[in-house]
Structures are given as structure tokens and as C-alpha cells.
Amino acid sequence: KDTEESDFKWLMRNKRGRRIIWRQLERAGVFRLSFNTNAMAMAFAEGNKNDGLRTLGLINRLCPELYQTMVNEANDHRNSIDGNSHNDH
């Protein structure tokens, strides 16, 4: 367990690592509703979200100070993409 926690902290201390974790959280659906009229699809989405929430829990327990850094970096990245797409017009 100590090795896993140490590895996770190492990953979160690195900007590339935070990008990887952010993508995992987004793919897991942590930041969106899981509702679906198809119960099986919703159950699948909730299972993915549960895994993402475990990762979010690790962040909050092991390196909460890096969460806001990760959010800011993700927003900066998103804004740079949005800005580039507007320049194409």
C-alpha cells in the first residue's frame, strides 16, 4: 500500500501525471451525471464513475494541494484549445 501511495504522489507531482489523472477522471464521468433511461447503460456509467471517485479520493487523501493545480492546468489547456479553434475562422 505504501508503494502504491508513493507512486500516486509521484505521478501527481508531475504535470504530465496530472494530465493523465485528469483524463481518467473525465473518462470515468466524475464531473457529469450518469443518468440514462437504459438501466444497464446507467449501471455501467456508475461503475466507471465509482472508479473515478476512488481516484479523486486518493487525491484528496494523499495530495489535496495538487488538485487545484490540476484543475487550473486542465482549464488552461482547454482554453488554449478553444482559443486556437477560434483563430481558425
Side-chain angles (χ1 to χ4, degrees), residues 19-54:
R19 281 197 306 260
I20 290 167
I21 296 298
W22 185 259
R23 283 191 301 264
Q24 286 182 337
L25 293 174
E26 283 189 323
R27 287 180 190 137
V30 170
F31 308 114
R32 66 179 177 269
L33 294 175
S34 301
F35 178 77
N36 191 307
T37 55
N38 179 316
M40 296 304 284
M42 189 164 71
F44 182 78
E46 279 296 306
N48 281 336
K49 183 180 266 189
N50 188 52
D51 192 46
L53 290 173
R54 262 193 223 108

Side-chain angles (χ1 to χ4, degrees), residues 3-70:
T3 301
E4 182 180 349
E5 290 180 0
S6 177
D7 290 348
F8 190 81
K9 287 178 187 178
W10 173 83
L11 186 65
M12 283 295 293
R13 285 187 193 115
N14 183 289
K15 188 172 184 173
R16 291 172 118 180
R18 290 189 296 273
R19 281 197 306 260
I20 290 167
I21 296 298
W22 185 259
R23 283 191 301 264
Q24 286 182 337
L25 293 174
E26 283 189 323
R27 287 180 190 137
V30 170
F31 308 114
R32 66 179 177 269
L33 294 175
S34 301
F35 178 77
N36 191 307
T37 55
N38 179 316
M40 296 304 284
M42 189 164 71
F44 182 78
E46 279 296 306
N48 281 336
K49 183 180 266 189
N50 188 52
D51 192 46
L53 290 173
R54 262 193 223 108
T55 300
L56 196 55
L58 279 174
I59 295 168
N60 288 327
R61 188 165 55 84
L62 300 175
C63 47
E65 72 283 359
L66 293 172
Y67 178 77
Q68 191 59 51
T69 301
M70 181 175 64

Side-chain angles (χ1 to χ4, degrees), residues 80-89:
S80 72
I81 290 172
D82 290 345
N84 288 338
S85 67
H86 293 302
N87 292 336
D88 291 342
H89 295 270

